[in-house]
């Protein structure tokens, strides 16, 4: 029999009882941050559920993990704790269970309308790494910058390429993004351009949130790596393409990326995503043994990007992609990250890199969609080569189940002018 909550959940909701993603929120201005899960149009306050003694399993019974201002302590406890919490919450929210359903006072305290809360960063991010795991994106970028003869470097098919990003500039959905300033490539014998970026872009990505880490010097086995991943968020790794193009040789991205990265507020767990697991693409050549998985899987997550141009009321869908286009899997990314002995820690964020599909409408950034500005996008009577001040970008992601969705909500940000 299908799971059903005593809380009415609209069929189109991203947050039915089958999902129960985790976030951190303030129920009212000035109140303390606390963990919650999304259920329909409500946030369930986990600090209240814990205070009422309803987390009564052996792992969570005496834990203060839901009294923290972020999810790091809970995530560090590992998969057994996550499974216990999920089973407890699905039981409490079930229409057959009276403990919460029939306790009006506790319902009043613990169920907060989602439109009343302030969502915060759900984790304290210690480190942020951004991968480059979509073959279609790698091929398109290589063709744009190096030509079609050899668009993807040989190493790309052997190692999950990545760079270390900037954890301090990770912001929650709804935060404005200030247009960065920096240098651009000189033309002819002139000095480099300096000023506001002229090629500001979005990147459609997802991010894996690390749960338990690993000791320094002790890599994570690729077949155990899923136990180190708490869940996924939507991620927009905003990019200043002109700054990036001038600086990235020889050491890679720096100021073109570090000015802002937006994540969605809700972390969807791997347990909630498991019904939507699908085979990952066949990898040729076969990966080295430390990256060879017994089961190599992605998830069928439909992804979409909308742009609302400055001064307009309506958004336009510019991208429809899918998480299943990733060439390197989440678990391969994490295993490769640790193979040199690097220690990951709870709350670390691993971005997938831009997720582009094979068709033009599935390209995951304006660099690809406009082919570096050569083919402007038509948007509600205006056009865009890259983002202009006042433009708002919204990412969404959703898995379609049998009569329910497992979704991520939205990940949005608006571009505001550069500081003088």
């Amino acid at each position: 029999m299908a799971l059903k909550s005593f809380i009415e959940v609209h069929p189109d909701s991203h947050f039915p009882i089958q999902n129960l993603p985790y976030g951190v929120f303030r129920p009212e201005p000035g109140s303390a941050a606390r963990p919650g899960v999304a259920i329909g149009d409500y946030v369930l306050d986990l600090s209240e559920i814990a205070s009422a003694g309803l987390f009564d399993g052996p792992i969570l019974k005496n834990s203060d993990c839901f009294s923290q201002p972020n999810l790091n302590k809970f995530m560090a406890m590992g998969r057994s704790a996550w499974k216990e919490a999920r089973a407890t919450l699905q039981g409490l929210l079930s229409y057959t269970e009276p403990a919460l359903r029939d306790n009006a006072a506790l319902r009043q305290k613990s169920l907060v309308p989602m439109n009343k809360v302030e969502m915060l960063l759900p984790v304290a991010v210690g480190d942020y790494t951004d991968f480059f795991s979509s073959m279609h994106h790698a091929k398109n970028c290589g063709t744009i910058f190096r030509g079609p003869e050899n668009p993807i470097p040989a190493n790309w098919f052997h190692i999950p390429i990545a760079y270390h990003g900037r954890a301090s500039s990770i912001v929650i959905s709804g935060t404005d993004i200030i247009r960065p300033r920096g240098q651009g490539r000189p033309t002819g014998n002139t000095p480099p351009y300096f000023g506001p970026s002229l090629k500001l872009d979005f990147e459609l990505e997802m991010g894996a949130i690390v749960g338990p880490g690993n000791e320094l010097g002790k890599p994570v086995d690729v077949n155990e790596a899923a136990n180190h991943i708490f869940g996924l968020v939507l991620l927009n790794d905003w990019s200043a393409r002109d700054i990036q193009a001038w600086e990235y040789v020889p050491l890679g991205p720096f100021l073109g990326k570090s000015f802002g990265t937006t994540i969605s507020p809700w972390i969807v767990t791997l347990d909630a995503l498991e019904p939507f697991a699908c085979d990952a693409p066949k990898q040729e050549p076969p990966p080295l043994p430390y990256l060879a998985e017994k089961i190599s899987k992605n998830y069928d997550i439909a992804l979409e990007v909308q742009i609302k141009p400055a001064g307009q009321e309506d958004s336009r869908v510019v991208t429809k992609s899918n998480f299943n286009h990733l060439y390197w899997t989440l678990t391969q990314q994490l295993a490769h990250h640790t193979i040199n002995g690097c220690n990951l820690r709870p709350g670390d964020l691993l971005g997938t890199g831009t997720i582009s599909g094979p068709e033009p409408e599935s390209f995951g950034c304006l660099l690809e969609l406009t082919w570096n500005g050569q083919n402007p996008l038509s948007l509600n009577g205006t056009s865009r080569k890259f983002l202009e001040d006042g433009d708002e970008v919204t990412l969404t992601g959703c898995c379609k189940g049998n009569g329910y969705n497992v979704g991520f909500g939205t990940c949005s940000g608006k571009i505001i002018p550069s500081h003088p």
Side-chain angles (χ1 to χ4, degrees), residues 1-7 17 91 93-98 101:
M1 187 172 172
L3 276 173
K4 185 181 176 185
S5 176
F6 69 83
I7 295 168
I17 194 171
L93 290 166
S94 166
Y95 78 105
T96 60
E97 171 57 53
R101 183 194 67 195

Side-chain angles (χ1 to χ4, degrees), residues 161-340:
I161 301 288
Y163 74 94
H164 289 282
R166 185 73 190 172
S168 64
S169 52
I170 293 169
V171 297
I172 197 68
S173 175
T175 305
D176 289 341
I177 298 295
I178 300 167
R179 181 178 296 274
R181 297 200 302 163
Q183 293 190 29
R185 191 185 301 278
T187 54
N189 295 320
T190 65
Y193 166 82
F194 176 75
S197 171
L198 303 175
K199 290 187 172 183
L200 191 53
D201 201 355
F202 68 84
E203 287 192 340
L204 170 60
E205 304 192 24
M206 299 197 78
I209 308 287
V210 175
N214 58 299
E215 288 183 44
L216 183 65
K218 294 189 176 179
V220 174
D221 185 285
V222 71
N223 294 303
E224 297 295 325
N227 290 326
H228 294 262
I229 299 173
F230 178 65
L232 299 184
V233 292
L234 297 166
L235 187 151
N236 183 349
D237 193 32
W238 306 88
S239 296
R241 300 298 186 187
D242 43 354
I243 297 172
Q244 182 184 2
W246 177 229
E247 73 181 0
Y248 84 103
V249 176
L251 291 181
F254 182 36
L255 301 184
K257 293 281 196 173
S258 60
F259 61 92
T261 300
T262 304
I263 65 170
S264 54
W266 296 109
I267 307 173
V268 177
T269 63
L270 293 194
D271 284 333
L273 291 172
E274 187 56 34
F276 308 96
C278 57
D279 291 339
K282 183 174 174 59
Q283 295 177 339
E284 289 290 347
L288 293 177
Y290 80 93
L291 290 171
E293 302 182 275
K294 292 174 183 172
I295 300 173
S296 187
K297 66 185 180 185
N298 280 337
Y299 300 96
D300 181 11
I301 307 170
L303 301 170
E304 190 174 280
V305 181
Q306 298 184 18
I307 296 178
K308 184 166 76 171
Q312 298 198 15
E313 291 298 315
D314 296 325
S315 298
R316 155 106 189 268
V317 175
V318 296
T319 297
K320 289 191 173 186
S321 187
N322 196 298
F323 186 87
N324 63 20
H325 292 312
L326 282 185
Y327 183 87
W328 292 107
T329 66
L330 294 173
T331 38
Q332 287 176 317
Q333 291 169 42
L334 188 142
H336 180 68
H337 201 312
T338 67
I339 195 60
N340 68 338

Side-chain angles (χ1 to χ4, degrees), residues 2 28 42 50-52 140 213 232 269 273-274 281 306 348 353 369 410:
E28 53 193 32
Y42 292 88
S51 295
N140 289 335
L232 299 184
T269 63
L273 291 172
E274 187 56 34
Q306 298 184 18
D348 283 357
L369 288 165
T410 60

